[in-house]
Amino acid sequence: MLTILAINAAVLSACFVALWLICLGTRDVTPVDSFWAWGMLVMAASTYVQAEGDPTRMLMLLAICGLWAARLGTFMLWRWRSHGPDRRYSALLGKAQQHKGWSFARASGQLVFATQAPLLFVVCLPVQLGQIDAAPPVGTLGYIGAGIALFGIAFETIGDAQLVAFKAKPENQGKLMTSGLWRYTRHPNYFGDATTWWGLWLIAAETATGLAAIIGPMLLTWTLMKWSGAPTVEKRLAKTREGYAEYVARTSGFIPMPPKRG
């Protein structure tokens, strides 16, 4: 297990260094968002070629992770190409360069790549540790986990599609998205993301080694709810979208629920 994880860590580090060098040339670190998804697939694939676990569980984890990565990675790549650099990164790196005197190389390397690499490695532990044990075979819990993971992928896909369609209409510029799945949760994309990884963990959790990977979905859920996900988005929307306070008052912050009557 330690050998597999060490090799995976080395592979991930090499990928992040290569991406960092590319971003130095473009002076734009936004592609790291797309690699957040693809990098987890790399970890799943690297484990797949090394481990000797239950073949069905290994293939299930690799396939579902691949589906999730392809969906999110492609979407984030499209968003970057369509909308340009992410202003959050521009602000973060700009402050470090202006107030600390850091170079772009140091600011991007230390604040973006060196931070995201270990987070990615820990979050995707279910698709790494879940492939290691040869027994037991996939059982009821594993298939329930697969269903939950696929539901999460579908949920975030629909939520993102609804938001893209809403923003594409000129009459909605500057307005707040409050319909569709966004009527039941302020963050359908984040909820779907977390749900997917809890499902993947349930597949892994049928094995003794995979059970320990619970730290992955726990970290992801905390990150989305309390750190760089929802709090960042909500802080910005509170300043730029009229009626956002009322939307917050009636709409669940994460888990989908019927809107509150005001």
Side-chain angles (χ1 to χ4, degrees):
M1 179 184 69
L2 293 179
T3 300
I4 291 174
L5 293 179
I7 292 174
N8 287 355
V11 170
L12 185 64
S13 297
C15 290
F16 264 90
V17 169
L19 182 60
W20 175 62
L21 292 175
I22 292 172
C23 290
L24 288 183
T26 62
R27 298 188 69 80
D28 179 10
V29 301
T30 310
V32 75
D33 286 341
S34 178
F35 187 73
W36 174 261
W38 294 113
M40 295 194 191
L41 177 57
V42 170
M43 293 295 92
S46 177
T47 306
Y48 187 81
V49 300
Q50 297 178 72
E52 298 180 356
D54 175 72
T56 302
R57 179 173 290 104
M58 292 177 68
L59 185 58
M60 187 182 293
L61 289 169
L62 178 64
I64 295 177
C65 181
L67 178 62
W68 171 83
R71 203 292 304 182
L72 181 60
T74 302
F75 175 73
M76 298 304 292
L77 184 61
W78 167 82
R79 193 170 73 172
W80 168 55
R81 298 302 296 169
S82 299
H83 302 287
D86 191 313
R87 52 191 168 191
R88 296 172 302 169
Y89 290 128
S90 299
L92 176 67
L93 301 184
K95 288 181 180 178
Q97 291 176 276
Q98 180 178 358
H99 300 303
K100 297 183 179 181
W102 290 4
S103 65
F104 179 84
R106 179 180 178 182
S108 60
Q110 186 169 326
L111 299 179
V112 179
F113 293 92
T115 300
Q116 292 211 22
L119 287 175
L120 188 158
F121 186 82
V122 174
V123 167
C124 70
L125 280 176
V127 297
Q128 298 181 76
L129 299 183
Q131 298 191 58
I132 292 176
D133 293 352
V138 178
T140 302
L141 184 62
Y143 288 111
I144 290 175
I148 291 174
L150 293 173
F151 169 78
I153 294 172
F155 198 92
E156 63 179 343
T157 300
I158 293 171
D160 280 337
Q162 290 175 337
L163 185 60
V164 169
F166 178 83
K167 289 184 174 181
K169 297 180 180 180
E171 63 268 26
N172 291 332
Q173 294 301 311
K175 294 184 178 180
L176 187 63
M177 173 65 167
T178 61
S179 59
L181 295 182
W182 301 83
R183 182 170 181 264
Y184 304 99
T185 169
R186 302 198 297 273
H187 304 283
N189 48 350
Y190 294 155
F191 171 77
D193 214 20
T195 300
T196 298
W197 282 93
W198 278 108
L200 288 167
W201 173 74
L202 287 177
I203 300 173
E206 288 190 312
T207 70
T209 304
L211 185 63
I214 190 173
I215 188 177
M218 288 179 65
L219 177 61
L220 177 64
T221 304
W222 177 81
T223 299
L224 294 176
M225 292 182 67
K226 301 297 183 181
W227 186 33
S228 63
T232 301
V233 173
E234 299 207 339
K235 183 178 180 181
R236 173 175 57 83
L237 292 180
K239 297 178 179 179
T240 60
R241 294 292 186 271
E242 183 179 353
Y244 192 70
E246 292 79 3
Y247 176 61
V248 169
R250 69 175 182 269
T251 310
S252 171
F254 197 72
I255 299 175
M257 298 179 67
K260 298 176 184 178
R261 296 184 179 274

